[in-house]
Amino acid sequence: MDRSVTAIIATYNRARYIEQAIDSILAQREPVSQLIVVDDGSTDDTATRVAKYGPPVEYVHKPTAASPPP
């Protein structure tokens, strides 16, 4: 039986860790068919670091969901 595995990483301004997280998932014994990185409005170079991977890594950037200060 063929299995399809999808992994999701949620991130916000963690560019210095994102490559380690992606590499860890890609190195798992069970290969992923899709790895989605959801970026919650980062202002660092997360997008640039993720872009170098290509498939099966997909990058989704959305406006930050953080609440505005009171």
Side-chain angles (χ1 to χ4, degrees):
M1 165 173 70
D2 289 334
R3 292 188 337 171
S4 178
V5 176
T6 298
I8 300 172
I9 299 172
T11 188
Y12 175 72
N13 284 339
R14 294 292 181 253
R16 65 181 174 212
Y17 303 114
I18 196 66
E19 292 161 305
Q20 181 180 1
I22 292 170
D23 291 342
S24 176
I25 290 171
L26 294 177
Q28 296 298 308
R29 188 178 70 191
E30 183 75 30
V32 295
S33 54
Q34 183 180 36
L35 170 55
I36 303 169
V37 178
V38 180
D39 184 349
D40 188 24
S42 292
T43 57
D44 59 9
D45 66 335
T46 297
T48 302
R49 293 180 186 223
V50 174
K52 75 176 192 175
Y53 284 91
V57 179
E58 297 178 35
Y59 177 75
V60 177
H61 183 271
K62 62 182 214 63
T64 188
S67 300

